[in-house]
Amino acid sequence: MIIIIVIAFKNNSQREVHVISSEKESLQEKVQSEQETSEYDREPEEVAARIKVYVSGEVKNYGVIEMSRDARLVDAVEKLGGLTEYADVNRVNLAQRLEDGGHYIVPKIGENIDVQNEYQMQSNGANDEDNAKIDINTADAIRLKELPGIGDAIAQRIIEYREQNGKFKSIDQIKNVSGIGDKKFEGIRDMIRVE
């Protein structure tokens, strides 16, 4: 028996597999199931290295997409087909890092966006400094572990504290988390923020 497999690549990462043989259905099902691997089937490191963001406004195809943790806004825009001709590129920072759960709006030329959007480009340098700080109300465990003295256990306690008590109202409230005392707080206070 002869089996012919034809692989066609689409959009740099998707592939179609066409099988010509009497066992066509079973082989295509196997390939399809491998391609549809859910996040539950992936290695924990692979899942942790992915984030989901929502990009809207003047992009060709808006939506929620999955990106690598180190991706920039320009990567997400490209994945969504690029900017429209009406995008105001002077009011959005395409080089900014993406944050899990973030909503990024690409404004139209001349458009004033009233929505409070922590990820939208801000023009003053002080705000860029604030955006570099870790938001303890939205950061995941991986992001929290970037703080000095915060390991797996304390990062998990911060997340559990948020889930049980709601968002932190001020950065000082992080001292309510077991394992974060005055000394540890002083070491991270200039690196954290709350929204």
Side-chain angles (χ1 to χ4, degrees), residues 82-143:
L83 297 169
T84 69
E85 62 185 276
Y86 306 108
D88 190 345
V89 295
N90 293 318
R91 291 189 41 227
V92 65
N93 180 1
L94 293 171
Q96 68 183 310
R97 284 194 186 277
L98 300 175
E99 290 189 29
D100 190 33
H103 178 195
Y104 300 86
I105 302 171
V106 178
K108 188 176 192 174
I109 295 171
E111 177 182 39
N112 287 327
I113 299 175
D114 294 332
V115 178
Q116 289 296 326
N117 181 2
E118 70 179 284
Y119 304 107
Q120 187 179 349
M121 173 59 182
Q122 301 293 324
S123 60
N124 66 33
N127 209 23
D128 290 341
E129 185 179 311
D130 283 346
N131 284 337
K133 294 180 180 183
I134 295 173
D135 183 348
I136 58 176
N137 281 325
T138 59
D140 61 11
I142 292 172
R143 186 89 164 109

Side-chain angles (χ1 to χ4, degrees), residues 42 45-53 65-76 79 96-101 104 140 142:
R42 295 184 201 159
E45 300 83 29
E46 186 181 343
V47 172
R50 308 294 292 173
I51 60 171
K52 289 190 179 181
V53 297
I65 55 173
E66 188 175 83
M67 302 293 297
S68 65
R69 181 160 298 287
D70 61 346
R72 306 280 180 164
L73 181 55
V74 68
D75 302 321
K79 192 169 184 177
Q96 68 183 310
R97 284 194 186 277
L98 300 175
E99 290 189 29
D100 190 33
Y104 300 86
D140 61 11
I142 292 172

Side-chain angles (χ1 to χ4, degrees), residues 2-6 17-21 27:
I2 297 175
I3 298 176
I4 300 172
I5 300 176
V6 179
V17 178
H18 302 280
V19 181
I20 304 169
S21 81
L27 191 52

Side-chain angles (χ1 to χ4, degrees), residues 31-62:
V31 170
Q32 185 177 9
S33 70
E34 288 175 8
Q35 289 176 345
E36 294 175 352
T37 302
S38 74
E39 69 179 44
Y40 301 106
D41 297 332
R42 295 184 201 159
E43 294 295 321
E45 300 83 29
E46 186 181 343
V47 172
R50 308 294 292 173
I51 60 171
K52 289 190 179 181
V53 297
Y54 175 45
V55 181
S56 64
E58 293 303 311
V59 289
K60 291 184 179 170
N61 302 296
Y62 66 89

